Each structure stands twice: as structure tokens, then as C-alpha cells.
Amino acid sequence: MNKLAIILLIVAIGVLAFRFINKPTSHKNSSNMKVITLTTDNFQSETKNGITVVDFWASWCMPCRMMGPVIEKFADSSDESVHVGKVNVDENPAIAQEFAVRSIPTIIFFKDGKEAARSVGLTSKESLQKTVDSLK
């Protein structure tokens, strides 16, 4: 291969890698998931009663993408007394600022509208359940 072909190949691989890494993740709720998309319009009403687990995330955040399936599995396995929601910090910066979310993913556990616990970084479904159980 000549040098130009090698350079073009490297550039093509770089472009594909960049697109893969920056591929937006929809995080939309499917019909079988219990995850609520939280915004400034519904945040207070959705978190004011009972226990609500809220995942603060962004589409460009690789650890957030890794946490997404954990949150979905947790929501699917949780009983109806536990609500699970997600806040996109890029689309709802006021909520992130209100709760001093400085790193993502951050999981905040609310009990009757007030912060009761917090976890920063990746965590397991079992750890989420243990925290929820401690709040009941």
C-alpha cells in the first residue's frame, strides 16, 4: 500500500470510530420499561410521592450509556412502589444545577420529593436495590 492509501484508511477508521462513540442513544421508553423521562415540566410531580430513583445522564457520556441498561433492568424488576426516571442534563440543566450534579452518571434517590441518597458513577442493579430497600 502506498502512503496515501494508508492515510485514507486511517482517516476512515477514525471517522467511523468517532461516529460510533458519539452515536446518540435514544433512551426513550419502550413499552415494556417503567423508566420515566423527567424534565423541568414533570420532575416535581413525578418525584413528590414515594421513592423515585433518578438517573442523571447525557448522550455523549460513555459511563452513562453503560448505566442505561442497568437502570432499565432495575426499573423492570422493581415493584410498583418504586418509580424510576432519567434526566438528560443537557436538555434539563436547571434540574442538574438544583441538585448539584457535577459528575455523571449520578443516581439520586428521592423519598417523598426530598433527596434521601446519592450514588455517583457506575453502580449495579443490586446496589440500587439495596439503597431503595434502606429507604422503605
Side-chain angles (χ1 to χ4, degrees):
M1 275 182 147
N2 65 29
K3 288 182 182 181
L4 180 60
I6 293 172
I7 291 172
L8 289 175
L9 182 61
I10 291 170
V11 169
I13 291 171
V15 168
L16 289 174
F18 180 81
R19 285 186 180 173
F20 175 78
I21 291 170
N22 291 303
K23 180 180 175 187
T25 307
S26 69
H27 286 271
K28 291 184 180 175
N29 302 338
S30 70
S31 59
N32 66 348
M33 289 191 313
K34 301 178 195 176
V35 181
I36 306 161
T37 299
L38 298 172
T39 66
T40 53
D41 294 334
N42 69 354
F43 187 87
Q44 188 174 14
S45 65
E46 293 290 344
T47 60
K48 71 180 178 180
N49 294 318
I51 297 173
T52 308
V53 179
V54 180
D55 175 20
F56 289 81
W57 70 283
S59 63
W60 49 264
C61 167
M62 192 56 70
C64 298
R65 290 183 184 189
M66 295 167 65
M67 193 68 211
V70 175
I71 291 292
E72 292 168 6
K73 287 177 186 173
F74 173 74
D76 287 343
S77 68
S78 294
D79 63 42
E80 294 171 2
S81 69
V82 178
H83 303 154
V84 181
K86 295 179 79 67
V87 173
N88 184 320
V89 297
D90 290 334
E91 296 174 2
N92 300 281
I95 300 172
Q97 184 176 6
E98 178 181 352
F99 293 100
V101 173
R102 299 201 190 340
S103 298
I104 53 175
T106 290
I107 312 297
I108 300 180
F109 300 81
F110 292 88
K111 186 168 184 178
D112 297 327
K114 296 180 181 165
E115 182 175 340
R118 178 181 293 231
S119 172
V120 179
L122 294 174
T123 192
S124 67
K125 179 182 140 200
E126 294 77 19
S127 178
L128 296 172
Q129 187 62 54
K130 186 176 180 180
T131 303
V132 166
D133 290 345
S134 74
L135 299 175
K136 289 183 175 182

